[in-house]
């Protein structure tokens, strides 16, 4: 007779129940939402920050995070707010530290168990392993929108109004200009920066001066530019968000930023316990789902077929890797 003990049905049922409980507990633990905070120097309605905010709200709605945020935080107050959120038990802090780089990194060093995902003009530092950076590398869609802009200008004069000449703005302007010039080699550009991330009246005033100087298409990197275009009956190209619903006769196309791939990657890394210093910029590329060209909407049928054919060709090439839009972070200048 064998001495091997064979499990009874009762033993099997108990073991199965324990296994099921452990599996359920594991799933529950894995699904626990990450306490997350957003810190923004502008209102969440501002186009760049709005894309971060929308992605965070979506992540909260599906249960991945719990989300609170502060807006209109000054650069001088930014470090204090970071510290308050870290002390409050947040495990993921997102935001933009373009004007508070050193202070933000110094605070992050004090909280090694907190993951920081910050918009930055600088790169990650291996010595600060809990601080990852991102930026809206949406040059792919900006380039495609430039092709459309170049085909729509009859005066061969495009006005471009930006906030500050920092890399995240410069690269989009250069990509846009490259697309416009590929479609229309004779195009000229007026380039100006208003020195603010949110000053619609100043952006509008700057754009109006460009229109007076011959621009019939405007690159609306800031709010206020499309208002000038609408008022004067010229066209505009949007940036980061699609505002065609507000400007149906004005905004021809827009390069849209989708922050979801960036945030989702960070959430997955925090959940896995593998969050590390890294450059998340690649998740804003078109082939990562981080940018797209908005539908033409009210301008369907009004954009030259030649331009649309080039857009589709380049889009396919960008997705396959056959065509790479140049990233140029240098400050652009007028023609």
């Amino acid at each position: 007779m064998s001495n091997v003990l064979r499990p009874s049905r009762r033993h099997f049922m108990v073991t199965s129940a324990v296994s099921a409980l452990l599996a359920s507990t594991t799933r529950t633990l894995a699904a626990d939402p990450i306490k997350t905070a957003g810190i923004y120097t502008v209102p969440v309605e501002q186009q760049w920050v709005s894309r971060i905010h929308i992605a965070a709200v979506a992540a909260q709605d599906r249960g991945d995070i719990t989300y609170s945020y502060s807006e209109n935080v000054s650069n001088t107050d930014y470090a204090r707010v970071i510290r308050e959120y870290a002390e409050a038990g947040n495990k993921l802090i997102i935001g933009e530290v373009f004007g508070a780089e050193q202070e933000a990194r110094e605070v992050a060093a004090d909280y090694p168990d907190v993951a920081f995902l910050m918009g930055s003009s600088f790169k990650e530092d291996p010595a600060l392993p809990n601080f990852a950076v991102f930026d809206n590398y949406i040059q792919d869609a900006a380039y495609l929108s430039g092709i459309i802009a170049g085909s729509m200008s009859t005066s061969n004069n495009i006005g471009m109004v930006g906030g500050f000449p920092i890399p995240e703005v410069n690269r989009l302007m250069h990509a846009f200009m490259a697309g416009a010039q590929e479609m229309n080699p004779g195009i000229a550009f007026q380039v100006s920066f208003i020195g603010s991330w949110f000053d619609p009246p100043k952006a509008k005033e700057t754009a109006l001066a460009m229109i007076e100087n011959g621009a019939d298409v405007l690159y609306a990197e800031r709010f206020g530019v499309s208002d000038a275009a609408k008022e004067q009956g010229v066209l505009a190209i949007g940036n980061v968000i699609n505002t065609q619903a507000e400007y149906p006769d004005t905004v021809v196309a827009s390069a849209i930023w989708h922050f979801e791939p960036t945030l989702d990657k960070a959430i997955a890394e925090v959940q896995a316990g593998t969050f590390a210093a890294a450059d998340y910029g690649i998740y804003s590329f078109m082939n990562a789902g981080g940018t797209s060209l908005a539908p033409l909407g009210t301008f369907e049928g009004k954009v030259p077929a030649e331009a649309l054919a080039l857009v589709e060709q380049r889009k396919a090439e960008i997705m396959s890797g056959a065509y790479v839009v140049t990233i140029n972070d240098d400050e652009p200048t007028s023609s």
Side-chain angles (χ1 to χ4, degrees):
M1 182 176 179
S2 172
N3 290 324
V4 176
L5 293 177
R6 300 185 181 278
S8 66
R9 176 175 174 79
R10 175 179 174 79
H11 176 81
F12 176 78
M13 292 177 66
V14 170
T15 302
S16 298
V18 171
S19 298
L21 178 60
L22 288 173
S24 175
T25 302
T26 300
R27 285 195 300 271
T28 300
L29 289 174
D32 281 349
I34 300 164
K35 189 173 182 181
T36 302
I39 309 173
Y40 311 119
T41 60
V42 293
V44 292
E45 291 81 12
Q46 187 259 15
Q47 60 261 56
W48 195 88
V49 163
S50 75
R51 306 309 294 176
I52 302 173
H53 181 66
I54 288 169
V57 170
Q60 176 172 254
D61 288 346
R62 67 174 182 257
D64 285 347
I65 67 174
T66 59
Y67 173 57
S68 57
Y69 66 93
S70 295
E71 56 187 338
N72 293 315
V73 177
S74 68
N75 288 327
T76 55
D77 213 23
Y78 207 90
R80 179 189 63 79
V81 178
I82 292 177
R83 192 175 296 279
E84 286 182 356
Y85 275 122
E87 289 289 339
N90 286 279
K91 293 303 180 182
L92 174 61
I93 297 178
I94 57 179
E96 19 94 29
V97 296
F98 298 104
E101 288 278 355
Q102 182 177 342
E103 298 87 345
R105 292 174 188 248
E106 288 173 356
V107 174
D110 293 337
Y111 299 93
D113 295 330
V114 178
F116 293 84
L117 179 65
M118 293 291 181
S120 170
S121 293
F122 295 89
K123 296 301 182 181
E124 74 279 12
D125 180 358
L128 190 59
N130 63 324
F131 195 97
V133 298
F134 69 87
D135 211 339
N136 62 329
Y137 282 84
I138 62 171
Q139 66 280 344
D140 298 327
Y143 163 77
L144 297 178
S145 72
I147 293 175
I148 293 175
S151 75
M152 298 297 284
S153 176
T154 58
S155 69
N156 289 342
N157 190 321
I158 293 179
M160 306 183 68
V161 181
F164 293 92
I166 65 171
E168 66 138 320
V169 176
N170 298 344
R171 73 176 66 106
L172 304 188
M173 285 188 164
H174 278 295
F176 172 88
M177 294 164 80
Q181 287 177 322
E182 182 172 358
M183 190 68 222
N184 184 350
I187 209 83
F189 302 96
Q190 301 177 60
V191 180
S192 185
F193 298 92
I194 63 172
S196 172
W197 291 128
F198 195 73
D199 191 344
K202 188 171 183 179
K204 180 181 178 181
E205 178 185 352
T206 303
L208 287 172
M210 291 178 172
I211 296 170
E212 189 172 338
N213 200 35
D216 64 349
V217 176
L218 298 174
Y219 178 72
E221 199 270 328
R222 293 292 99 196
F223 278 150
V225 176
S226 294
D227 293 312
K230 178 181 178 180
E231 185 177 293
Q232 295 299 313
V234 303
L235 302 176
I237 302 293
N239 180 58
V240 175
I241 63 175
N242 186 5
T243 58
Q244 195 184 75
E246 292 77 27
Y247 306 93
D249 300 318
T250 303
V251 175
V252 184
S254 298
I256 308 301
W257 184 29
H258 307 288
F259 188 68
E260 287 78 2
T262 302
L263 181 58
D264 292 351
K265 174 65 174 176
I267 289 171
E269 295 291 342
V270 172
Q271 288 173 335
T274 54
F275 188 89
D279 184 354
Y280 278 59
I282 58 172
Y283 302 108
S284 288
F285 284 30
M286 183 170 281
N287 59 13
T291 187
S292 66
L293 190 64
L296 293 176
T298 55
F299 281 86
E300 195 73 49
K302 299 177 183 178
V303 177
E306 181 185 1
L308 294 182
L310 182 56
V311 165
E312 289 306 313
Q313 175 190 335
R314 289 295 188 229
K315 185 189 301 182
E317 292 170 344
I318 289 168
M319 293 300 288
S320 71
Y323 186 87
V324 177
V325 176
T326 299
I327 296 175
N328 184 348
D329 289 346
D330 296 336
E331 182 176 344
T333 58
S334 300
S335 301

